Amino acid sequence: MPPASLLLVELHRSSSFPTTISSLTSGFASGSAAPGRMAVASQDAVKQLSVLLDQADETLKRTFQGYPTATLVRFLNAREWNVAKAHKMLVDCLNWRTENRIDDILTKPIIPSELYRGVRDSQLVGLSGYSKEGLPVFAIGAGLSSFDKASVNYYVQSHIQINEYRDRVILPAATKKYHRYIGTCIKVLDTTGLKLSALGHIKLLTLIATIDDLNYPEKTQTYYVVNAPYVFSACWKVVKPLLQERTRRKVQVLQGCGRDELLKVMDYNSLPHFCLQECYKTAASHACYSLDHSFHQELYNYMKQQALGLERAELLKHRSSRADTPGADTDRTKLVKVKIGDQAGLACSLSSIQIMRHERAIP
């Protein structure tokens, strides 16, 4: 079974709405050069990076993420269009994916379901809808996330799984629906209930921010902060230095619940529940970050199906290898000892994941 990332490459190649370098680099390259010269320079940078990547190990290229041109542009933009730095960042990312088996992470659902529900109840994130341009809108309960129902490893695992599901399923589906390439999302952060004690989670939040900065660059178009309490300024002073400048430029703090401003970029039905003042209390129990919401139900069912498919593939592979071995024990109970998702033997528990392995170490 080929990695999901390769399937996305094939989707790109067979698509009726191919992505061009000029459309992807529009607005990315900075400088005082004329638009035509910037476009040529951007295309040259993409070609140079593509040539360098062709020299990479085959195992790295097999984990190449999604749409090839778009991925090259994202990493170039993340490194101010410096080809050498973008190449190092991309190779480091591909090594991170290979060493930590990120291509397989959606075959490792967090079980039992009660544990996963605990993660969802304390790491508040979900899909509330789509912008008018078709970008997925993710709602994040930044102020009320307690991160106290599971170990750090599970919160990191869940974050990466949502990232991968977004890139492998949500964004390609949006691209197909809107008949144009969609490779970024919008995030709305609700800071209701934020307290200074939230800084106690700074290590976990730093790990997650570093994962996104180094391995999922330029996947978020804008971060909208709403319902900011008076302590937000103090918390922001601590968090802001941990973010790269390109990320800080994307943060917009809106007045109140931000509804009027957000309605300029998304329809009413896509507003997160915490932006609906008149029905906040009644809507809270049906928040998009609840495990009972359709997004999380679809995500969890997708992971269970992927796990079952992997288990069946391992069974067939083991049967085939033992059938070719004279005198092999054919007792079915001894054929396969793989237990997908077994908490004791979870292959991708992320307990040893190298999150800050390159370029940027945060104390």
Side-chain angles (χ1 to χ4, degrees):
M1 180 182 299
S5 54
L6 294 183
L7 297 180
L8 295 187
V9 172
E10 293 304 317
L11 174 62
H12 169 68
R13 289 172 177 168
S14 62
S15 171
S16 59
F17 34 89
T19 302
T20 62
I21 294 178
S22 59
S23 65
L24 287 170
T25 57
S26 176
F28 273 2
S30 59
S32 58
R37 293 174 59 189
M38 285 197 304
V40 172
S42 300
Q43 293 184 26
D44 287 345
V46 171
K47 291 177 182 178
Q48 291 176 39
L49 182 55
S50 179
V51 171
L52 289 174
L53 191 62
D54 284 340
Q55 302 171 11
D57 188 270
E58 288 299 322
T59 57
L60 295 186
K61 288 189 282 188
R62 281 200 294 270
T63 191
F64 193 84
Q65 303 174 72
Y67 298 81
T69 301
T71 298
L72 297 179
V73 170
R74 287 194 298 108
F75 280 83
L76 281 165
N77 190 46
R79 288 297 177 262
E80 306 297 333
W81 292 85
N82 183 304
V83 175
K85 291 181 178 180
H87 175 248
K88 182 181 186 307
M89 182 184 186
L90 180 52
V91 170
D92 285 343
C93 170
L94 297 179
N95 275 311
W96 174 81
R97 294 182 63 86
T98 301
E99 293 167 6
N100 295 290
R101 300 179 60 185
I102 301 301
D103 280 349
D104 297 332
I105 199 168
L106 290 180
T107 67
K108 303 294 186 294
I110 295 174
I111 61 172
S113 59
E114 290 78 8
L115 175 60
Y116 188 61
R117 181 175 291 278
V119 171
R120 293 277 57 83
D121 289 343
S122 54
Q123 184 183 35
L124 306 180
V125 58
L127 182 70
S128 67
Y130 294 82
S131 73
K132 295 178 181 179
E133 296 182 345
L135 277 62
V137 178
F138 283 91
I140 300 174
L144 296 176
S145 292
S146 58
F147 302 106
D148 60 354
K149 300 285 182 68
S151 68
V152 170
N153 294 331
Y154 286 116
Y155 290 117
V156 174
Q157 178 179 346
S158 176
H159 178 79
I160 295 176
Q161 287 174 330
I162 291 177
N163 278 357
E164 292 293 314
Y165 187 73
R166 174 198 64 197
D167 294 349
R168 302 185 201 183
V169 179
I170 299 297
L171 292 176
T175 294
K176 183 176 181 180
K177 178 180 179 180
Y178 290 93
H179 303 286
R180 67 181 185 83
Y181 173 71
I182 295 177
T184 58
C185 67
I186 292 172
K187 293 182 179 179
V188 185
L189 286 72
D190 177 28
T191 53
T192 298
L194 184 67
K195 300 177 181 178
L196 289 175
S197 59
L199 295 177
H201 307 307
I202 196 66
K203 182 177 181 180
L204 171 59
L205 297 177
T206 298
L207 294 180
I208 289 176
T210 304
I211 288 174
D212 286 350
D213 276 345
L214 297 181
N215 303 293
Y216 301 94
E218 304 302 321
K219 298 300 292 188
T220 301
Q221 183 185 82
T222 309
Y223 299 86
Y224 293 105
V225 178
V226 301
N227 298 320
Y230 72 95
V231 300
F232 172 77
S233 297
C235 294
W236 180 238
K237 287 181 180 179
V238 176
V239 174
K240 187 176 180 179
L242 303 179
L243 305 176
Q244 294 200 7
E245 177 58 30
R246 71 177 193 278
T247 301
R248 294 198 293 266
R249 290 196 298 263
K250 298 178 182 180
V251 177
Q252 296 186 28
V253 182
L254 305 182
Q255 183 176 5
C257 68
R259 179 174 57 183
D260 293 341
E261 289 298 317
L262 291 175
L263 284 175
K264 296 177 183 179
V265 297
M266 67 188 72
D267 294 329
Y268 184 87
N269 291 336
S270 291
L271 287 174
H273 73 283
F274 47 76
C275 295
L276 308 177
Q277 289 180 324
E278 70 278 6
C279 58
Y280 182 88
K281 292 182 179 179
T282 57
S285 61
H286 303 289
C288 60
Y289 40 64
S290 166
L291 180 56
D292 298 321
H293 189 272
S294 58
F295 166 72
H296 284 296
Q297 287 292 306
E298 292 167 5
L299 167 58
Y300 199 56
N301 288 333
Y302 179 88
M303 289 191 290
K304 289 192 291 185
Q305 291 172 3
Q306 294 296 306
L308 181 60
L310 179 61
E311 187 174 14
R312 288 173 176 169
E314 291 289 343
L315 175 62
L316 292 175
K317 179 180 178 181
H318 199 90
R319 278 180 172 172
S320 176
S321 63
R322 293 187 68 83
D324 294 337
T325 304
D329 188 346
T330 59
D331 183 356
R332 188 178 186 278
T333 62
K334 298 181 180 181
L335 286 177
V336 177
K337 296 183 180 180
V338 177
K339 297 181 179 180
I340 301 300
D342 185 348
Q343 296 303 305
L346 189 59
C348 196
S349 67
L350 305 188
S351 59
S352 60
I353 193 167
Q354 299 178 37
I355 296 173
M356 298 186 291
R357 66 181 301 278
H358 48 266
E359 277 207 37
R360 177 167 169 262
I362 301 177

